[in-house]
Amino acid sequence: MPQGGLLSPLLSNILLDELDKELEARRYRFYRYVDDCNIYVKSERAGKRVYRRARMLMRLGLGKVRAWTSAANG
């Protein structure tokens, strides 16, 4: 699916919903608009930890999106 396509904003919201839930559960302050996200932490160490966790969630979510799009196209 091309970036900027009609489904791109919808799929980014579906993908990032899991990240939103994780951040809310951990009571992080964050701001997200479509696919832009700012997460506010108190230390560099906390920032690195949140970054690693967010990347892991994104990798898992991208696998889901790939499965959905291939099923829709297949």
Side-chain angles (χ1 to χ4, degrees):
M1 173 174 309
Q3 183 176 354
L6 294 176
L7 288 178
S8 184
L10 175 64
L11 289 177
S12 70
N13 275 323
I14 291 170
L15 174 66
L16 293 172
D17 186 58
E18 291 298 318
L19 178 62
D20 291 349
K21 290 176 183 175
E22 178 81 15
L23 295 173
E24 288 171 354
R26 295 176 182 269
R27 297 182 176 235
Y28 284 110
R29 291 181 27 192
F30 69 99
Y31 171 82
R32 185 172 71 77
Y33 181 77
V34 187
D35 62 350
D36 293 326
C37 186
N38 292 325
I39 304 169
Y40 302 96
V41 296
K42 294 184 179 184
S43 68
E44 183 177 349
R45 182 178 173 198
K48 289 179 180 179
R49 184 177 58 246
V50 171
Y51 177 74
R52 284 191 305 269
R53 179 71 177 151
R55 281 183 55 118
M56 185 185 72
L57 285 171
M58 294 301 93
R59 285 189 182 127
L60 292 172
L62 283 174
K64 290 179 189 176
V65 169
R66 285 187 187 117
W68 292 334
T69 55
S70 64
N73 292 327

